Amino acid sequence: NRMRRRGNPCVGDLIEPAAKLGAILLLVGLLGLAMTAAAPVAGDLQTIRGLRSQKKWASAESLATAVLARLEVDPAADSLQIAALLFWIGDSRWRVHTLPGDTTAIRAGGRSLAIRARRLGADHLDVAESHALVARLLYVDDRGDSAVTHIRRAIDIRTEKLAPHDTLLAPLVLEGH
């Protein structure tokens, strides 16, 4: 108290503003992290599409995995973007690795299918695309019975939604073989 009477600040007077400044800086830093996680990913999604069109599967998978990690911490993230990233991860792994027991690819494909079915409805063409991916992954994993169930569902959706004699049905079934 003597220091205050003489006009000199005490240690407590110095610590309180420093603590307030520290708390403010911490909040600004956390806000910056949140903004980074919530940053628009449209450019990244376009880059992934470009890599996939160039058949650069490993690069597409790596970028999709990084973007997915950013989106999964953002509570406001678009679940359909997450589903697309999961699909691209599963598909890229299938194209590059095609190893039985690739649980990463199977989980990614299954999550993509679940999100798309929930958000778009069970008969949407994107759901058919995910069913076809899961079928290919299960087939490679020697789970043919489960694979047949998914490919039949994919064919049913596409047959119902697309014009007769749809030329995209053959690649849906035969892709990669």
Side-chain angles (χ1 to χ4, degrees):
N1 284 341
R2 269 196 258 173
M3 291 180 75
R4 281 190 185 178
R5 280 186 243 148
R6 293 185 190 153
N8 295 330
C10 71
V11 174
D13 292 336
L14 294 175
I15 291 176
E16 189 175 317
K20 286 180 185 176
L21 179 61
I24 290 170
L25 291 174
L26 177 64
L27 287 173
V28 168
L30 291 174
L31 181 59
L33 284 175
M35 288 173 62
T36 300
V41 297
D44 289 329
L45 298 177
Q46 190 60 36
T47 300
I48 295 166
R49 284 185 194 98
L51 290 168
R52 290 176 52 78
S53 71
Q54 297 170 27
K55 300 183 190 271
K56 295 182 178 179
W57 309 116
S59 297
E61 178 195 350
S62 294
L63 181 55
T65 301
V67 175
L68 179 64
R70 276 196 342 242
L71 286 181
E72 285 186 322
V73 298
D74 179 9
D78 182 352
S79 62
L80 290 176
Q81 287 179 337
I82 291 173
L85 292 164
L86 289 163
F87 178 86
W88 292 334
I89 290 166
D91 184 62
S92 294
R93 292 184 68 86
W94 174 76
R95 292 174 187 275
V96 173
H97 305 290
T98 59
L99 298 173
D102 185 354
T103 58
T104 300
I106 293 171
R107 274 195 316 266
R111 280 185 64 201
S112 172
L113 173 59
I115 293 168
R116 285 175 168 179
R118 185 182 73 243
R119 286 283 313 276
L120 301 172
D123 295 329
H124 194 276
L125 289 173
D126 287 348
V127 175
E129 180 183 47
S130 290
H131 271 294
L133 172 63
V134 170
R136 289 191 302 267
L137 294 168
L138 291 172
Y139 179 78
V140 169
D141 200 44
D142 293 327
R143 294 195 258 168
D145 291 343
S146 296
V148 167
T149 302
H150 284 282
I151 200 63
R152 282 185 178 152
R153 184 65 188 126
I155 291 170
D156 289 346
I157 294 168
R158 292 199 64 124
T159 303
E160 176 186 316
K161 295 289 182 180
L162 298 177
H165 311 295
D166 175 22
T167 59
L168 296 177
L169 281 176
L172 177 75
V173 177
L174 301 175
E175 189 173 332
H177 296 289

